[in-house]
Amino acid sequence: MKKIALVAHDRKKDELIDFVKEHRDFFSKYSLVSTGTTGARIIQATDLEIIRFQSGPIGGDQQVGALIATDEIEAIFFFRDPLTSQPHEPDVQALIRLCDVHKIPVATNTATADFLIKGMKSI
């Protein structure tokens, strides 16, 4: 079974947690992976099983990218903060680039995330 990745910048973590809680039934049907802090907070809020990688700035984004490159990811929910400069922005751009190269859908906010879930449910 392919995995769903859950990632969020610091100022978007609460928003992603609320989104996952709202769609818990959907996410419970998938194998989930996440960057470190985001995954810990989602686990605490939902009791979902999540494989946690390193924190994004110290390599977690690249660990998710490795799964994309090996065709193990079905979709990414990456709630990005467009108003705050990220010190690891090159890693973020590399992850988004891999999604484009491997045709992996990525939702960067609640609006696109809602559409992605609707699309995945209809398959």
Side-chain angles (χ1 to χ4, degrees):
M1 169 190 288
K2 288 191 178 184
K3 300 168 179 63
I4 288 179
L6 303 169
V7 182
H9 286 147
D10 287 345
R11 291 188 178 172
K12 295 294 181 172
K13 287 186 190 326
D14 289 340
E15 193 173 328
L16 179 61
I17 291 164
D18 290 343
F19 184 83
V20 172
K21 284 167 52 176
E22 181 181 340
H23 298 281
R24 190 186 188 292
D25 289 343
F26 170 81
F27 287 107
S28 69
K29 295 177 176 130
Y30 287 89
S31 177
L32 304 172
V33 299
S34 183
T35 49
T37 307
T38 301
R41 293 198 46 207
I42 294 170
I43 290 167
Q44 183 179 22
T46 66
D47 288 327
L48 288 169
E49 273 190 45
I50 300 174
I51 297 168
R52 291 176 50 222
F53 295 135
Q54 297 292 325
S55 175
I58 61 170
D61 296 339
Q62 292 183 356
Q63 289 177 289
V64 172
L67 293 181
I68 294 169
T70 56
D71 196 34
E72 297 179 53
I73 295 289
E74 184 168 343
I76 296 182
F77 292 78
F78 186 170
F79 284 20
R80 298 175 65 195
D81 180 358
L83 302 177
T84 303
S85 177
Q86 302 297 325
H88 65 293
E89 188 61 31
D91 297 332
V92 172
Q93 290 304 315
L95 182 64
I96 299 299
R97 180 187 166 281
L98 279 173
C99 289
D100 290 342
V101 168
H102 293 275
K103 297 176 177 61
I104 303 300
V106 57
T108 59
N109 56 59
T110 56
T112 56
D114 281 328
F115 274 102
L116 181 53
I117 285 178
K118 287 176 187 172
M120 291 176 74
K121 284 181 177 179
S122 70
I123 295 176

